[in-house]
């Protein structure tokens, strides 16, 4: 609304009546403005939401820190999309520049919020409750009660006694109280609910604590993956991991070299519900953990139930089959024997694996194999597995002869075979059928290279019982985070602070002995909420009823 022309602040007639020019902000002013915006609570909440959104890609695509094999497979399955995602650091979300930027901004914002609010809160705790307003009738829950004056007493003495009782009752109810006298009218001012702001500060401080401890844990912790076949062991040393992701400040001298042996991997599948036949119900890895001093103890690892041993958490990530394959030269001498993990390709555990025989034969030998726990034939003639358990296990192998590419010092994956420098001897366009074996069977290799045997892991079983004929493997993730305990503490503090800040009302209440023009005195009650407080009016009325009742009892002891 424009001011009238004759207003004292109105420009003189004929003067420039353009809009008011605000002062310009210099460099220091802009820095101060940016700092205030960054350290506002609204910005902190926005950054917290942005951090949650920024973490979403980490659950949509595999991460190098936790699933390096999955990243490799993603590149193989999506050769066009994967490089684009990699350029945006989507496979390293939690260490990416953009995620770290949001993380650090949130960290700075929380510090800038907490420090001044904490200072202000401590000052408010030491301050006296505010003076009683002159007109309580303008406040919430305003109500009046008649002041009972005992016989032989004056209204002033009765008013003072009533205010003293109100102060005592409010103090017992958890209020901070202060008595005031204004123009001969006694009153008490009370306030409570500072615990609400305390909870709010605890919430934000604990949130900051979580950020700090997660950063510390990520810097000094590690995560490693290892595939272990039933009956085999893994020693917690750096060289024993299939993949290892240390924190920035990790020292491998801190590894506790315990040994973990996978004794058995038990899988339970659905067999009753026809709509879900073959769906996994439970996986249990039974392990034996031996410390460096020789002490040994059993343990179990389940999905979402890690095993805590020697400062590390052992998680069960995946499982599959590891057929035991033996290769012999033409003279019958064993040149290779091992349980080779085959990677599952579908829910029924149709699996693919690679066998490499670098020594013992005239040429290096490589084989790409498919394993079917329960083989069935499709209409096209191709094989697949129709059930994930061992009902009718079959192993097929395509044989390659030549240079495996492992002698030049270049590291290669044990799950991949490069046939560039090799000759295919079976399968494909060779015209020679792939080698097909069931547990316990042996077949000749082409070109009189020798023989290959698919070993039966349970040779004493009946001929048609294949339930234990192939060893299983478990994929373990070994994780160490020295800040786990602190993260739990801060998480509990976050929950406690949030509950307190949500459910503890902050309110003020006043009781005043007001003198009316006719000389009578009445007790006035009113309250004021700091924030949402739907129960304030009811609380004022309840206190007025209680206090006025005690006042009447004090005036008429016989009633």
């Amino acid at each position: 609304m424009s001011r009238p022309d004759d207003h004292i602040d109105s420009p003189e007639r004929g003067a420039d009546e353009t809009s008011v020019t605000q002062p310009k902000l210099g460099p220091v002013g802009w820095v101060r403005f940016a700092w205030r915006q960054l350290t506002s609570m609204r910005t902190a909440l926005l950054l917290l939401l942005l951090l949650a959104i920024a973490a979403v890609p980490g659950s949509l695509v595999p991460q190098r820190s936790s699933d390096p094999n999955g990243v490799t497979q993603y590149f193989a399955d999506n050769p066009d999309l994967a490089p684009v995602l990699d350029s945006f650091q989507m496979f390293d979300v939690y260490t990416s520049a953009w995620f770290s930027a949001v993380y650090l901004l949130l960290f700075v914002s929380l510090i800038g919020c907490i420090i001044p609010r904490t200072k202000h809160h401590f000052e408010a705790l030491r301050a006296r409750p505010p003076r009683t307003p002159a007109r309580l009738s303008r406040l919430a829950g305003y109500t009046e009660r008649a002041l009972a004056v005992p016989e032989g007493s004056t209204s002033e003495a009765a008013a003072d006694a009533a205010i003293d009782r109100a102060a005592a009752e409010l103090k017992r109810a958890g209020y901070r109280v202060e008595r005031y006298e204004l123009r001969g009218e006694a009153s008490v001012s009370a306030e409570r609910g500072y615990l609400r702001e305390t909870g709010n500060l605890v919430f934000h401080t604990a949130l900051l604590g979580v950020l700090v401890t997660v950063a510390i844990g990520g810097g000094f912790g590690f995560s490693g993956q290892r595939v272990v076949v039933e009956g085999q062991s893994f020693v917690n040393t750096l060289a024993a991991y299939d993949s290892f992701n240390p924190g920035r400040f990790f020292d491998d001298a801190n590894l506790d070299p315990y040994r973990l042996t996978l004794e058995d991997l038990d899988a339970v599948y659905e067999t009753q519900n026809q709509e879900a036949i073959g769906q996994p119900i439970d996986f249990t890895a039974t392990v034996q953990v031996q410390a460096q001093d020789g002490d040994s103890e059993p343990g179990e690892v389940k999905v979402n139930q890690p095993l805590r041993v020697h400062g590390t958490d052992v998680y069960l990530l995946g499982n599959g089959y590891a057929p035991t394959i033996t290769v012999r030269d033409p003279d019958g001498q064993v040149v290779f024997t091992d349980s080779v993990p085959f990677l599952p390709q579908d829910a029924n555990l149709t699996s693919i694996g690679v066998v490499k025989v670098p020594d013992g034969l005239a040429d290096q030998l490589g084989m790409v194999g498919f394993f079917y726990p329960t083989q069935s034939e499709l209409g096209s003639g191709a094989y697949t597995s129709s059930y994930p358990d061992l009902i009718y296990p079959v192993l097929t192998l395509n044989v390659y002869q030549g240079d495996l590419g492992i002698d030049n010092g270049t590291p290669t994956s044990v799950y991949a075979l490069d046939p560039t420098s090799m000759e295919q001897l079976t399968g494909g366009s060779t015209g020679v059928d792939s080698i097909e074996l069931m547990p316990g069977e042996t077949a000749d290799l082409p070109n009189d290279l020798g023989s290959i045997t698919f070993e039966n892991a349970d040779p004493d079983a009946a001929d048609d019982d294949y339930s234990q004929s192939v060893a299983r493997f478990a994929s373990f993730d070994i994780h160490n985070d020295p800040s786990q305990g602190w993260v739990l503490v801060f998480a509990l503090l976050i929950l406690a602070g949030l509950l307190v800040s949500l459910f503890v009302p902050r309110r003020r209440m006043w009781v005043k002995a007001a003198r009316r023009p006719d000389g009578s005195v009445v007790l006035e009650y009113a309250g004021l909420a700091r924030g949402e407080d739907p129960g304030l009016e009811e609380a004022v009325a309840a206190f007025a009823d209680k206090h006025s009742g005690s006042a009447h009892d004090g005036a008429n002891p016989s009633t």
Side-chain angles (χ1 to χ4, degrees), residues 174-186:
Y175 286 84
R176 298 168 57 220
V177 299
E178 188 75 25
R179 179 169 173 151
Y180 292 101
E181 292 282 346
L182 180 63
R183 294 191 293 271
E185 295 179 338

Side-chain angles (χ1 to χ4, degrees), residues 136-426:
L136 292 182
S137 58
R138 297 179 176 181
L139 301 179
Y142 174 78
T143 186
E144 295 181 1
R145 297 290 188 275
L147 174 66
V149 180
E151 294 182 4
S153 179
T154 64
S155 59
E156 288 80 2
D160 288 340
I163 295 301
D164 289 340
R165 284 194 299 273
E169 291 179 8
L170 287 169
K171 193 170 185 178
R172 282 196 297 271
Y175 286 84
R176 298 168 57 220
V177 299
E178 188 75 25
R179 179 169 173 151
Y180 292 101
E181 292 282 346
L182 180 63
R183 294 191 293 271
E185 295 179 338
S187 66
V188 60
S189 176
E191 63 179 353
R192 73 174 184 183
Y194 278 97
L195 190 61
R196 182 189 186 98
E197 179 65 9
T198 302
N200 204 350
L201 289 172
V202 168
F203 170 78
H204 289 93
T205 304
L207 182 60
L208 180 63
V210 168
L211 295 178
V212 173
T213 51
V214 167
I216 293 174
F220 289 93
F222 70 87
S223 177
Q225 294 75 39
R226 175 60 192 261
V227 172
V228 183
V229 180
E230 287 178 328
Q232 297 183 3
S233 299
F234 154 74
V235 179
N236 187 35
T237 58
L238 189 60
Y241 283 93
D242 294 330
S243 60
F244 191 81
N245 302 282
R248 186 184 299 269
F249 311 109
F250 172 76
D251 183 1
D252 59 358
N254 296 328
L255 286 175
D256 187 355
Y258 64 86
R259 182 172 67 184
L260 184 145
T261 302
L262 177 61
E263 296 186 338
D264 180 63
L265 180 64
D266 181 47
V268 179
Y269 300 101
E270 177 62 54
T271 59
Q272 302 298 323
N273 185 356
Q274 294 299 318
E275 300 295 328
I277 292 293
Q279 293 295 317
I281 296 177
D282 188 31
F283 295 104
T284 303
T286 303
V287 300
Q288 194 74 20
V289 181
Q290 185 175 2
Q292 191 174 13
D293 58 7
D295 292 339
S296 182
E297 59 179 351
E300 284 188 350
V301 189
K302 289 176 172 286
V303 178
N304 296 326
Q305 293 184 22
L307 175 66
R308 180 74 175 177
V309 289
H310 298 275
T312 62
D313 292 310
V314 182
Y315 295 87
L316 180 61
L317 292 184
N319 69 94
Y321 292 100
T324 303
I325 298 171
T326 301
V327 177
R328 294 177 172 84
D329 64 13
D331 297 328
Q333 299 296 317
V334 175
V335 296
F336 174 89
T337 183
D338 196 8
S339 297
V340 182
F342 276 50
L343 301 181
Q345 303 298 302
D346 57 30
N348 288 322
L349 297 188
T350 299
S351 307
I352 186 172
V354 171
V355 181
K356 297 180 181 180
V357 185
D359 302 305
L361 299 176
D363 290 310
Q364 291 181 342
L365 206 66
M367 289 174 276
V368 178
F370 285 88
F371 178 69
Y372 311 95
T374 303
Q375 183 214 47
S376 61
E377 188 172 349
L378 301 175
S380 62
Y383 291 160
T384 188
S385 177
S386 58
Y387 188 73
D389 215 348
L390 296 170
I391 305 299
Y392 191 78
V394 172
L395 174 67
T396 63
L397 297 162
N398 288 335
V399 183
Y400 294 80
Q401 181 182 8
D403 183 10
L404 290 171
I406 60 176
D407 296 332
N408 57 8
T410 304
T412 59
S413 173
V414 296
Y415 301 108
L417 179 68
D418 183 7
T420 305
S421 302
M422 307 190 76
E423 176 188 0
Q424 186 171 356
L425 303 181
T426 65

Side-chain angles (χ1 to χ4, degrees), residues 525-555:
Y525 305 83
L528 178 66
R530 298 292 300 272
E532 295 292 331
D533 189 357
L536 177 61
E537 294 187 3
E538 182 180 351
V540 173
F543 179 79
D545 292 339
K546 177 182 178 182
H547 178 251
S548 61
S550 64
H552 281 87
D553 291 343

